[in-house]
Amino acid sequence: MIAITRDVSDAIVRCELTHLARQPIDLVRARAQHRAYEARLASLGCEVRRLADAPDLADAVFVEDTAVVVAEVAVLARPGAASRRPELASMAEALTPLRPVVRVEAPGTLEGGDVLRVGRTLFVGRSGRTNDAGFAQLRAAVAPYGYDARQVPVTGCLHLKSAITWVGERRLVVNCAWIDAGAFEGFDLVDVDPAEPFAANALLVRGTAIHGAQFPRTRARLEARGVRVEPVDLSELAKAEGGVTCCSVIVDA
Ligand code: CIR
């Protein structure tokens, strides 16, 4: 397994913000937390491949938004936030040796944070960042390989995966206030603790859910359902509206 990452840029202090008020970000602490996250990915068996630093691109650490990778193909996204489009070139370069690369083209917009894969189904957020044309292009790119793609309206948060992520088997962790959970009928849904609305973002790597350390109550709920959880502290990047899925693109080698 390869985990593509990128260091925190100095410019993160000017990051895009949609639902949060700007707070000072401690760059030294943000980088230390990000390194610990990379170390956790490595300890779970990932080969961590860092993209070149992008000191002027504020949100470049959030590599997840730039690509959707499945076993057969990589889809280079086209972020709805125009400030993020210069991040694409380096991701395209990293993916080219690993998969055939298909690009989302204008007028489509798509951010990887809106794409939740469970087996051969891609749930795709219809959000401020991902539009109908982006969804249609993603669906067309993966359909030849037998993937089904379904749109899910996202109302209260930035991306679909701010509201729901996969934690193994048929189990998802969810904040039902931000999406219509009806799209996930038949799944075992674990609700976030009401005091932790941002706790629905988990990254499953080899059966272990990496999850924000600031969410102990939701962690307890997950563990009670048999999910193995490893907490990581990304609290500085949370101020930039980032979570644990956002900071990597996982590619099965
Ligand atoms: C942005 O607004 O684009 C960044 N500040 C945060 C992106 C977080 N990415 C994600 O949830 N996948």
Side-chain angles (χ1 to χ4, degrees):
M1 243 177 195
I2 294 165
I4 301 176
T5 64
R6 177 165 13 226
D7 198 4
V8 179
S9 307
D10 290 351
I12 196 165
V13 295
R14 299 191 298 275
C15 68
E16 297 278 348
L17 286 174
T18 308
H19 295 279
L20 295 183
R22 197 166 299 279
Q23 298 176 63
I25 294 176
D26 179 333
L27 271 172
V28 172
R29 195 155 175 257
R31 290 208 171 100
Q33 291 178 346
H34 184 255
R35 280 187 193 264
Y37 166 85
E38 290 176 322
R40 189 58 60 93
L41 289 171
S43 76
L44 292 172
C46 294
E47 177 202 329
V48 176
R49 287 193 192 171
R50 276 191 161 200
L51 301 178
D53 290 354
D56 299 330
L57 300 180
D59 286 300
V61 63
F62 301 123
V63 290
E64 163 177 74
D65 294 319
T66 60
V68 176
V69 181
V70 296
E72 301 83 358
V73 67
V75 179
L76 197 68
R78 183 169 179 274
S83 68
R84 302 204 50 191
R85 293 184 194 148
E87 298 171 28
L88 295 175
S90 49
M91 180 58 80
E93 206 176 299
L95 291 174
T96 298
L98 302 173
R99 296 284 189 278
V101 176
V102 173
R103 288 170 184 265
V104 174
E105 308 283 357
T109 65
L110 178 87
E111 295 194 1
D114 275 317
V115 183
L116 167 63
R117 185 178 70 80
V118 184
R120 296 231 154 218
T121 301
L122 301 186
F123 295 94
V124 184
R126 185 174 193 271
S127 70
R129 301 289 182 89
T130 297
N131 66 15
D132 292 345
F135 165 73
Q137 291 179 42
L138 174 65
R139 183 173 55 183
V142 297
Y145 307 105
Y147 293 88
D148 176 28
R150 301 183 198 167
Q151 248 181 334
V152 183
V154 174
T155 46
C157 56
L158 186 60
H159 290 123
L160 179 66
K161 278 191 282 188
S162 320
I164 188 162
T165 50
W166 179 60
V167 287
E169 299 169 17
R170 299 286 295 167
R171 191 164 295 127
L172 302 165
V173 55
V174 62
N175 178 342
C176 291
W178 288 345
I179 52 158
D180 176 4
F184 299 93
E185 213 183 303
F187 284 93
D188 175 18
L189 299 181
V190 182
D191 287 304
V192 296
D193 184 277
E196 298 174 345
F198 290 93
N201 185 255
L203 174 63
L204 196 73
V205 177
R206 295 223 162 115
T208 295
I210 297 179
H211 189 239
Q214 64 272 47
F215 309 122
R217 293 163 178 244
T218 304
R219 174 160 77 247
R221 290 181 177 211
L222 288 166
E223 287 172 342
R225 301 281 262 276
V227 180
R228 186 182 146 78
V229 182
E230 289 204 16
V232 296
D233 183 2
L234 285 181
S235 51
E236 287 304 310
L237 296 179
K239 296 175 186 172
E241 294 191 44
V244 294
T245 63
C246 320
C247 296
S248 56
V249 170
I250 305 290
V251 181
D252 284 324

PDB file of all heavy atoms in Angstrom, residues 15-18 59 62 64-65 84 111 113 129 158-159 162 240-243 245-246, ligand 1:
ATOM      1  N   CYS A  15      -5.505  29.360   4.266  1.00  0.00           N
ATOM      2  CA  CYS A  15      -6.290  28.262   3.683  1.00  0.00           C
ATOM      3  C   CYS A  15      -7.733  28.671   3.395  1.00  0.00           C
ATOM      4  O   CYS A  15      -8.249  29.639   3.962  1.00  0.00           O
ATOM      5  CB  CYS A  15      -6.276  27.063   4.633  1.00  0.00           C
ATOM      6  SG  CYS A  15      -7.184  27.369   6.168  1.00  0.00           S
ATOM      7  N   GLU A  16      -8.361  27.895   2.533  1.00  0.00           N
ATOM      8  CA  GLU A  16      -9.807  28.059   2.299  1.00  0.00           C
ATOM      9  C   GLU A  16     -10.546  27.701   3.587  1.00  0.00           C
ATOM     10  O   GLU A  16     -10.203  26.722   4.255  1.00  0.00           O
ATOM     11  CB  GLU A  16     -10.272  27.080   1.202  1.00  0.00           C
ATOM     12  CG  GLU A  16      -9.664  27.290  -0.157  1.00  0.00           C
ATOM     13  CD  GLU A  16     -10.369  28.386  -0.952  1.00  0.00           C
ATOM     14  OE1 GLU A  16     -11.462  28.822  -0.556  1.00  0.00           O
ATOM     15  OE2 GLU A  16      -9.794  28.816  -1.972  1.00  0.00           O
ATOM     16  N   LEU A  17     -11.556  28.470   3.909  1.00  0.00           N
ATOM     17  CA  LEU A  17     -12.408  28.145   5.064  1.00  0.00           C
ATOM     18  C   LEU A  17     -13.860  28.347   4.651  1.00  0.00           C
ATOM     19  O   LEU A  17     -14.192  29.363   4.043  1.00  0.00           O
ATOM     20  CB  LEU A  17     -12.089  29.047   6.259  1.00  0.00           C
ATOM     21  CG  LEU A  17     -10.788  28.766   7.007  1.00  0.00           C
ATOM     22  CD1 LEU A  17     -10.548  29.829   8.067  1.00  0.00           C
ATOM     23  CD2 LEU A  17     -10.778  27.378   7.643  1.00  0.00           C
ATOM     24  N   THR A  18     -14.692  27.376   4.969  1.00  0.00           N
ATOM     25  CA  THR A  18     -16.105  27.451   4.578  1.00  0.00           C
ATOM     26  C   THR A  18     -17.015  27.491   5.801  1.00  0.00           C
ATOM     27  O   THR A  18     -17.936  28.304   5.871  1.00  0.00           O
ATOM     28  CB  THR A  18     -16.470  26.242   3.687  1.00  0.00           C
ATOM     29  OG1 THR A  18     -15.523  26.168   2.629  1.00  0.00           O
ATOM     30  CG2 THR A  18     -17.875  26.386   3.110  1.00  0.00           C
ATOM     31  N   ASP A  59      -3.590  24.920   0.746  1.00  0.00           N
ATOM     32  CA  ASP A  59      -4.272  23.697   1.179  1.00  0.00           C
ATOM     33  C   ASP A  59      -3.622  22.427   0.636  1.00  0.00           C
ATOM     34  O   ASP A  59      -4.244  21.358   0.633  1.00  0.00           O
ATOM     35  CB  ASP A  59      -5.745  23.761   0.750  1.00  0.00           C
ATOM     36  CG  ASP A  59      -6.537  24.745   1.615  1.00  0.00           C
ATOM     37  OD1 ASP A  59      -6.593  24.530   2.837  1.00  0.00           O
ATOM     38  OD2 ASP A  59      -7.064  25.731   1.071  1.00  0.00           O
ATOM     39  N   PHE A  62      -3.764  18.750   1.934  1.00  0.00           N
ATOM     40  CA  PHE A  62      -5.003  17.965   1.880  1.00  0.00           C
ATOM     41  C   PHE A  62      -5.116  17.238   0.538  1.00  0.00           C
ATOM     42  O   PHE A  62      -6.027  17.461  -0.266  1.00  0.00           O
ATOM     43  CB  PHE A  62      -6.214  18.868   2.137  1.00  0.00           C
ATOM     44  CG  PHE A  62      -6.140  19.562   3.469  1.00  0.00           C
ATOM     45  CD1 PHE A  62      -6.186  20.948   3.562  1.00  0.00           C
ATOM     46  CD2 PHE A  62      -6.007  18.834   4.642  1.00  0.00           C
ATOM     47  CE1 PHE A  62      -6.101  21.597   4.794  1.00  0.00           C
ATOM     48  CE2 PHE A  62      -5.920  19.468   5.886  1.00  0.00           C
ATOM     49  CZ  PHE A  62      -5.963  20.855   5.952  1.00  0.00           C
ATOM     50  N   GLU A  64      -5.956  14.422  -0.469  1.00  0.00           N
ATOM     51  CA  GLU A  64      -7.118  13.595  -0.826  1.00  0.00           C
ATOM     52  C   GLU A  64      -8.023  14.247  -1.864  1.00  0.00           C
ATOM     53  O   GLU A  64      -8.608  13.570  -2.713  1.00  0.00           O
ATOM     54  CB  GLU A  64      -7.952  13.328   0.433  1.00  0.00           C
ATOM     55  CG  GLU A  64      -9.351  12.854   0.136  1.00  0.00           C
ATOM     56  CD  GLU A  64     -10.178  12.511   1.343  1.00  0.00           C
ATOM     57  OE1 GLU A  64     -10.628  13.414   2.053  1.00  0.00           O
ATOM     58  OE2 GLU A  64     -10.362  11.329   1.572  1.00  0.00           O
ATOM     59  N   ASP A  65      -8.124  15.567  -1.800  1.00  0.00           N
ATOM     60  CA  ASP A  65      -9.088  16.244  -2.669  1.00  0.00           C
ATOM     61  C   ASP A  65      -8.691  16.253  -4.132  1.00  0.00           C
ATOM     62  O   ASP A  65      -9.510  16.571  -4.991  1.00  0.00           O
ATOM     63  CB  ASP A  65      -9.317  17.674  -2.162  1.00  0.00           C
ATOM     64  CG  ASP A  65      -9.993  17.654  -0.810  1.00  0.00           C
ATOM     65  OD1 ASP A  65     -10.897  16.823  -0.634  1.00  0.00           O
ATOM     66  OD2 ASP A  65      -9.600  18.441   0.068  1.00  0.00           O
ATOM     67  N   ARG A  84      -7.193  25.653  -5.426  1.00  0.00           N
ATOM     68  CA  ARG A  84      -6.574  24.356  -5.196  1.00  0.00           C
ATOM     69  C   ARG A  84      -6.159  23.642  -6.485  1.00  0.00           C
ATOM     70  O   ARG A  84      -5.505  22.597  -6.431  1.00  0.00           O
ATOM     71  CB  ARG A  84      -7.519  23.491  -4.352  1.00  0.00           C
ATOM     72  CG  ARG A  84      -7.848  24.174  -3.008  1.00  0.00           C
ATOM     73  CD  ARG A  84      -8.266  23.212  -1.956  1.00  0.00           C
ATOM     74  NE  ARG A  84      -7.301  22.128  -1.870  1.00  0.00           N
ATOM     75  CZ  ARG A  84      -7.513  21.022  -1.174  1.00  0.00           C
ATOM     76  NH1 ARG A  84      -8.634  20.867  -0.505  1.00  0.00           N
ATOM     77  NH2 ARG A  84      -6.595  20.061  -1.134  1.00  0.00           N
ATOM     78  N   GLU A 111     -14.016  16.972  -5.796  1.00  0.00           N
ATOM     79  CA  GLU A 111     -12.941  16.887  -4.797  1.00  0.00           C
ATOM     80  C   GLU A 111     -13.013  15.503  -4.151  1.00  0.00           C
ATOM     81  O   GLU A 111     -14.106  14.988  -3.842  1.00  0.00           O
ATOM     82  CB  GLU A 111     -13.071  18.006  -3.758  1.00  0.00           C
ATOM     83  CG  GLU A 111     -12.873  19.383  -4.393  1.00  0.00           C
ATOM     84  CD  GLU A 111     -12.654  20.533  -3.410  1.00  0.00           C
ATOM     85  OE1 GLU A 111     -12.632  20.303  -2.179  1.00  0.00           O
ATOM     86  OE2 GLU A 111     -12.496  21.677  -3.892  1.00  0.00           O
ATOM     87  N   GLY A 113     -12.522  14.489  -1.294  1.00  0.00           N
ATOM     88  CA  GLY A 113     -13.200  14.433  -0.005  1.00  0.00           C
ATOM     89  C   GLY A 113     -14.678  14.116  -0.122  1.00  0.00           C
ATOM     90  O   GLY A 113     -15.325  13.732   0.862  1.00  0.00           O
ATOM     91  N   ARG A 129     -18.283  21.811  -3.498  1.00  0.00           N
ATOM     92  CA  ARG A 129     -17.031  21.557  -4.218  1.00  0.00           C
ATOM     93  C   ARG A 129     -17.181  20.567  -5.379  1.00  0.00           C
ATOM     94  O   ARG A 129     -16.310  20.506  -6.248  1.00  0.00           O
ATOM     95  CB  ARG A 129     -15.985  21.024  -3.240  1.00  0.00           C
ATOM     96  CG  ARG A 129     -15.665  21.952  -2.072  1.00  0.00           C
ATOM     97  CD  ARG A 129     -14.881  23.167  -2.532  1.00  0.00           C
ATOM     98  NE  ARG A 129     -14.533  24.048  -1.426  1.00  0.00           N
ATOM     99  CZ  ARG A 129     -13.427  23.930  -0.702  1.00  0.00           C
ATOM    100  NH1 ARG A 129     -12.584  22.957  -0.949  1.00  0.00           N
ATOM    101  NH2 ARG A 129     -13.187  24.782   0.274  1.00  0.00           N
ATOM    102  N   LEU A 158     -18.404  20.474   4.618  1.00  0.00           N
ATOM    103  CA  LEU A 158     -17.614  20.741   3.417  1.00  0.00           C
ATOM    104  C   LEU A 158     -17.726  19.622   2.387  1.00  0.00           C
ATOM    105  O   LEU A 158     -17.999  19.853   1.215  1.00  0.00           O
ATOM    106  CB  LEU A 158     -16.148  20.947   3.832  1.00  0.00           C
ATOM    107  CG  LEU A 158     -15.174  21.365   2.750  1.00  0.00           C
ATOM    108  CD1 LEU A 158     -15.598  22.692   2.132  1.00  0.00           C
ATOM    109  CD2 LEU A 158     -13.763  21.469   3.325  1.00  0.00           C
ATOM    110  N   HIS A 159     -17.464  18.409   2.832  1.00  0.00           N
ATOM    111  CA  HIS A 159     -17.416  17.257   1.921  1.00  0.00           C
ATOM    112  C   HIS A 159     -18.251  16.104   2.489  1.00  0.00           C
ATOM    113  O   HIS A 159     -18.466  16.020   3.700  1.00  0.00           O
ATOM    114  CB  HIS A 159     -15.968  16.738   1.822  1.00  0.00           C
ATOM    115  CG  HIS A 159     -15.016  17.630   1.100  1.00  0.00           C
ATOM    116  ND1 HIS A 159     -13.860  18.097   1.688  1.00  0.00           N
ATOM    117  CD2 HIS A 159     -15.011  18.107  -0.168  1.00  0.00           C
ATOM    118  CE1 HIS A 159     -13.195  18.828   0.808  1.00  0.00           C
ATOM    119  NE2 HIS A 159     -13.868  18.867  -0.318  1.00  0.00           N
ATOM    120  N   SER A 162     -16.711  14.482   5.423  1.00  0.00           N
ATOM    121  CA  SER A 162     -16.778  15.150   6.729  1.00  0.00           C
ATOM    122  C   SER A 162     -17.936  14.543   7.524  1.00  0.00           C
ATOM    123  O   SER A 162     -17.959  14.600   8.747  1.00  0.00           O
ATOM    124  CB  SER A 162     -17.044  16.644   6.595  1.00  0.00           C
ATOM    125  OG  SER A 162     -16.348  17.223   5.525  1.00  0.00           O
ATOM    126  N   ALA A 240      -7.984  24.163   9.750  1.00  0.00           N
ATOM    127  CA  ALA A 240      -8.064  24.442   8.309  1.00  0.00           C
ATOM    128  C   ALA A 240      -9.152  23.591   7.655  1.00  0.00           C
ATOM    129  O   ALA A 240      -9.189  23.462   6.430  1.00  0.00           O
ATOM    130  CB  ALA A 240      -6.709  24.170   7.657  1.00  0.00           C
ATOM    131  N   GLU A 241     -10.000  23.000   8.465  1.00  0.00           N
ATOM    132  CA  GLU A 241     -11.108  22.131   8.016  1.00  0.00           C
ATOM    133  C   GLU A 241     -10.624  20.817   7.430  1.00  0.00           C
ATOM    134  O   GLU A 241     -11.283  20.228   6.566  1.00  0.00           O
ATOM    135  CB  GLU A 241     -12.054  22.867   7.038  1.00  0.00           C
ATOM    136  CG  GLU A 241     -12.797  23.996   7.717  1.00  0.00           C
ATOM    137  CD  GLU A 241     -13.931  24.576   6.879  1.00  0.00           C
ATOM    138  OE1 GLU A 241     -14.690  23.794   6.278  1.00  0.00           O
ATOM    139  OE2 GLU A 241     -14.048  25.800   6.834  1.00  0.00           O
ATOM    140  N   GLY A 242      -9.469  20.354   7.895  1.00  0.00           N
ATOM    141  CA  GLY A 242      -8.954  19.058   7.443  1.00  0.00           C
ATOM    142  C   GLY A 242      -9.172  17.987   8.490  1.00  0.00           C
ATOM    143  O   GLY A 242      -9.187  18.273   9.685  1.00  0.00           O
ATOM    144  N   GLY A 243      -9.317  16.761   8.044  1.00  0.00           N
ATOM    145  CA  GLY A 243      -9.439  15.622   8.949  1.00  0.00           C
ATOM    146  C   GLY A 243      -8.444  14.539   8.559  1.00  0.00           C
ATOM    147  O   GLY A 243      -7.509  14.796   7.787  1.00  0.00           O
ATOM    148  N   THR A 245      -8.829  11.710   6.740  1.00  0.00           N
ATOM    149  CA  THR A 245      -8.799  11.184   5.362  1.00  0.00           C
ATOM    150  C   THR A 245      -8.105  12.163   4.425  1.00  0.00           C
ATOM    151  O   THR A 245      -7.447  11.763   3.470  1.00  0.00           O
ATOM    152  CB  THR A 245     -10.218  10.892   4.800  1.00  0.00           C
ATOM    153  OG1 THR A 245     -10.954  12.118   4.723  1.00  0.00           O
ATOM    154  CG2 THR A 245     -10.962   9.877   5.648  1.00  0.00           C
ATOM    155  N   CYS A 246      -8.244  13.456   4.707  1.00  0.00           N
ATOM    156  CA  CYS A 246      -7.804  14.503   3.762  1.00  0.00           C
ATOM    157  C   CYS A 246      -6.313  14.492   3.475  1.00  0.00           C
ATOM    158  O   CYS A 246      -5.901  14.980   2.432  1.00  0.00           O
ATOM    159  CB  CYS A 246      -8.109  15.892   4.308  1.00  0.00           C
ATOM    160  SG  CYS A 246      -9.655  16.023   5.122  1.00  0.00           S
TER     161      CYS A 246
HETATM  162  C1  CIR B   1     -10.357  23.431   1.858  1.00  0.00           C
HETATM  163  O1  CIR B   1     -11.280  24.159   2.206  1.00  0.00           O
HETATM  164  O2  CIR B   1     -10.236  23.037   0.710  1.00  0.00           O
HETATM  165  C2  CIR B   1      -9.332  23.041   2.901  1.00  0.00           C
HETATM  166  N1  CIR B   1      -9.146  24.139   3.810  1.00  0.00           N
HETATM  167  C3  CIR B   1      -9.764  21.807   3.663  1.00  0.00           C
HETATM  168  C4  CIR B   1      -9.870  20.598   2.805  1.00  0.00           C
HETATM  169  C5  CIR B   1     -10.198  19.375   3.600  1.00  0.00           C
HETATM  170  N2  CIR B   1     -10.265  18.231   2.764  1.00  0.00           N
HETATM  171  C6  CIR B   1     -11.065  17.221   2.963  1.00  0.00           C
HETATM  172  O3  CIR B   1     -11.895  17.236   3.849  1.00  0.00           O
HETATM  173  N3  CIR B   1     -10.975  16.196   2.131  1.00  0.00           N
END
